[in-house]
Amino acid sequence: MLREDIMQEVLVSGKMLIDELQNAALTTRTQLQEIQGKIKQKNMGHDAIVDLFRERRDLQRIQKSQIQALLKAKHTIDQALGHSGDHDQSESSLSEYAQTTLMKLVNFRKAFVAALLMPEEGGEGPRAAVLAEEEGFVLAANTSPGIRQPQKLLRTIRELHHLEATVSFQRELLKDAQEAAGDSSYSEMNFAYGSTPFTSWFRLFQVPAIAEVINGMQESSSGGKYVVFGSSTGWLVFFGALTFGLNSYGYE
């Protein structure tokens, strides 16, 4: 069998998967745009808006899985193209590599389909569950003096969750992790991104020793400074400013 024939099935299968994922991503993007247009309408009831937000979160999760599968498929095909031009490799070795690559492509598609069908608690993903808990916590604070600006804090939390769910944000995270890993002896897993839920942060700041410091800062004429080292997209900085009214600074 010719070397070109051995890799032909891999390249054809890879192209079909890439085309499928690209078409699916375009469809998802269109659906998200339609939902965003509906959300902006002012004549909708509360329940209808909540349903749209839930639908949007589900589509954003799907869109993320599409992008991840697409990037993996493209990377695998790029590697396969390099192997097909390696004339020092025996045909048996190349055939074995081709079968392994085909299995990878099949698994990428299985993972993508599983993401579409995966049952999630309450019909929503983990991110949506965290956001729902935070929304309830902050809304309850409207009747409590514990949070200075609950409405602004709520809007900020929603926007940051939305930012983290966007494909462009996830794509940049993946790119940065790959670049950082390439310049070091560590793997991409060592350059993970994470954020702290407001509920966890708030409970920590209710610890008596910390709460005493915060109260002192609030009562001081200068107000003191609340500084976050490794501030990422600003979560903890916004928390400090909007919850306790502190002069907040972040360094990333």
Side-chain angles (χ1 to χ4, degrees), residues 65-86:
S65 70
Q66 289 169 340
I67 294 297
Q68 290 175 335
L70 185 57
L71 290 174
K72 289 178 179 179
K74 286 185 174 180
H75 178 67
T76 300
I77 293 303
D78 286 342
Q79 288 183 321
L81 286 170
H83 273 273
S84 64
D86 183 3

Side-chain angles (χ1 to χ4, degrees), residues 130-131 133-134 157 161 194-203 235-236 239:
V130 171
L131 176 57
E133 181 183 2
E134 290 179 313
I157 290 173
H161 272 288
S195 52
T196 302
F198 175 75
T199 48
S200 301
W201 178 89
F202 188 80
R203 291 186 180 109
W235 285 90
L236 304 188
F239 290 171

Side-chain angles (χ1 to χ4, degrees), residues 83-223:
H83 273 273
S84 64
D86 183 3
H87 296 286
D88 293 332
Q89 192 171 14
S90 67
E91 288 191 1
S92 61
S93 177
L94 188 62
S95 179
E96 182 179 348
Y97 172 81
Q99 292 302 315
T100 301
T101 304
L102 280 172
M103 186 56 65
K104 281 185 179 180
L105 294 174
V106 170
N107 289 335
F108 292 157
R109 192 180 188 287
K110 284 182 178 179
F112 167 63
V113 172
L116 298 180
L117 303 176
M118 180 174 21
E120 297 180 317
E121 183 179 356
E124 300 179 343
R127 184 187 302 280
V130 171
L131 176 57
E133 181 183 2
E134 290 179 313
E135 287 177 337
F137 193 93
V138 176
L139 288 172
N142 277 311
T143 58
S144 168
I147 299 177
R148 294 287 181 91
Q149 300 185 63
Q151 292 304 318
K152 284 187 177 181
L153 177 61
L154 185 59
R155 289 198 299 271
T156 300
I157 290 173
R158 286 170 175 166
E159 285 300 317
L160 287 173
H161 272 288
H162 172 71
L163 171 66
E164 288 187 347
T166 60
V167 176
S168 57
F169 184 82
Q170 294 296 327
R171 183 170 56 240
E172 288 301 313
L173 283 181
L174 179 61
K175 177 183 175 184
D176 289 344
Q178 290 173 339
E179 290 178 353
D183 294 335
S184 71
S185 58
Y186 297 100
S187 69
E188 292 179 26
M189 296 299 294
N190 292 105
F191 299 94
Y193 169 88
S195 52
T196 302
F198 175 75
T199 48
S200 301
W201 178 89
F202 188 80
R203 291 186 180 109
L204 174 64
F205 276 72
Q206 300 310 298
V207 173
I210 299 177
E212 183 178 351
V213 174
I214 297 299
N215 290 335
M217 292 173 66
Q218 291 174 321
E219 294 170 0
S220 171
S221 57
S222 62

